[in-house]
Amino acid sequence: QKEVEQNSGPLSVPEGAIASLNCTYSDRVSQSFFWYRQYSGKSPELIMSIYSNGDKEDGRFTAQLNKASQYVSLLIRDSQPSDSATYLCAVNLNTGGFKTIFGAGTRLFVKA
Amino acid sequence: EPEVTQTPSHQVTQMGQEVILRCVPISNHLYFYWYRQILGQKVEFLVSFYNNEISEKSEIFDDQFSVERPDGSNFTLKIRSTKLEDSAMYFCASIGQVQETQYFGPGTRLLVL
C-alpha cells in the first residue's frame, strides 16, 4: 500500500514567522509532488508542484524535494493569519495509470 | 478563469438509493478523477478516467460505484445502493496533460440516512 505521511499537527506559528510542513512518501519511483491548501468545507487548491530534487520558490512559498530520502516539504515565509488551513501533500504514483495519493494533512494556525 | 463545476452541491438520500453526482471538467482537459473525503479524514482517491475508460481505481471503488462520460462534457459518479458510510464530500478533478496540476471542483456533500 503506497502511503503519504504527514504530521497532523496542529502546527501553531506567530504571524510573520516561517511555517515548515513536512511529508514523506513510500513509492520510491513517484515523480510528481504537490502541496494543496484546504480550508474547512472547501476543495483543495494547489499551492505548489515540484518534480525535481531541490528547492522551488513561488512568492512566500518554497517547496523542497529530496527523492533519495523520499521527503518533500513546504516552507511558508512571513506567515499570515489567512494561511491558517490544512495543508495536504499529494503524490502521483507511477502505476502506469493516473493515481494520486494524499496525505492526511497538517493543520496550520497562524496567530495574529 | 475556467473551472470545474459539480452538481448538486448537497444531496441527502436514503440508504439503498442510487445517487448520481455530476461534474463538468474544464473543457480541454483529458484526465478526470473522483475523490471522496469523509468528514475529518483525508482526501481519498476513488478512480481516474482517460480516453473513455477507467485508468486506475482504488479498493473503495467497488461494484457499487461506476463512472461515465455520457456526452463529452459531463463526468458522472454513480453509487448504485448507498450505504451510511458513503456519506462524505465527493470531489471531481481534471487535468489537461499527464503530471500537470489537478483542478478540483467545489465538491458535492452527500449525506446518506
Side-chain angles (χ1 to χ4, degrees):
Chain A
Q1 178 82 346
K2 305 300 183 183
E3 299 287 345
V4 177
E5 300 287 343
Q6 295 182 254
N7 187 326
S8 63
L11 173 65
S12 184
V13 300
E15 185 175 359
I18 295 174
S20 177
L21 305 164
N22 304 313
C23 171
T24 59
Y25 59 94
S26 63
D27 183 28
R28 181 168 291 278
V29 297
S30 293
Q31 298 293 319
S32 305
F33 308 88
F34 306 89
W35 282 100
Y36 288 85
R37 178 172 60 197
Q38 186 177 33
Y39 294 110
S40 181
K42 302 296 185 182
S43 59
E45 54 179 326
L46 182 78
I47 298 174
M48 297 278 288
S49 59
I50 187 166
Y51 308 103
S52 304
N53 278 330
D55 295 0
K56 179 181 178 183
E57 187 174 316
D58 184 1
R60 295 187 297 113
F61 300 96
T62 299
Q64 299 173 316
L65 175 61
N66 183 326
K67 291 185 180 179
S69 300
Q70 295 174 238
Y71 174 92
V72 58
S73 66
L74 180 70
L75 298 177
I76 307 174
R77 289 181 298 282
D78 188 24
S79 296
Q80 301 298 310
S82 58
D83 294 327
S84 297
T86 298
Y87 288 80
L88 310 177
C89 175
V91 177
N92 279 358
L93 299 185
N94 189 26
T95 60
F98 311 109
K99 185 172 184 179
T100 304
I101 300 297
F102 281 78
T106 298
R107 293 191 68 189
L108 173 67
F109 291 106
V110 181
K111 298 174 294 185
Chain B
E1 184 175 326
E3 59 182 16
V4 177
T5 59
Q6 290 185 242
T7 55
S9 58
H10 295 78
Q11 177 140 10
V12 181
T13 190
Q14 295 293 320
M15 187 171 57
Q17 295 296 303
E18 174 183 286
V19 295
I20 297 176
L21 310 182
R22 291 181 168 79
C23 169
V24 179
I26 294 173
S27 63
N28 62 345
H29 282 189
L30 301 174
Y31 306 85
F32 315 111
Y33 299 75
W34 282 103
Y35 296 88
R36 79 173 186 190
Q37 187 174 30
I38 296 170
L39 187 64
Q41 297 187 25
K42 67 179 180 180
V43 175
E44 298 176 288
F45 171 85
L46 291 178
V47 66
S48 58
F49 191 85
Y50 169 68
N51 200 24
N52 285 319
E53 60 183 24
I54 289 174
S55 173
E56 291 278 351
K57 59 183 181 179
S58 71
E59 302 78 22
I60 303 167
F61 194 89
D62 61 21
D63 291 345
Q64 294 299 312
F65 291 87
S66 62
V67 289
E68 193 176 37
R69 189 158 160 81
D71 56 13
S73 61
N74 289 283
F75 180 50
T76 62
L77 174 69
K78 181 191 293 185
I79 310 175
R80 289 187 181 80
S81 178
T82 51
K83 302 187 282 286
L84 297 177
E85 54 265 37
D86 293 327
S87 295
M89 181 76 94
Y90 288 80
F91 294 110
C92 172
S94 70
I95 60 173
Q97 298 293 329
V98 176
Q99 308 295 4
E100 281 190 357
T101 303
Q102 291 185 42
Y103 290 87
F104 281 77
T108 293
R109 185 172 296 282
L110 175 66
L111 179 60
V112 182
L113 301 176

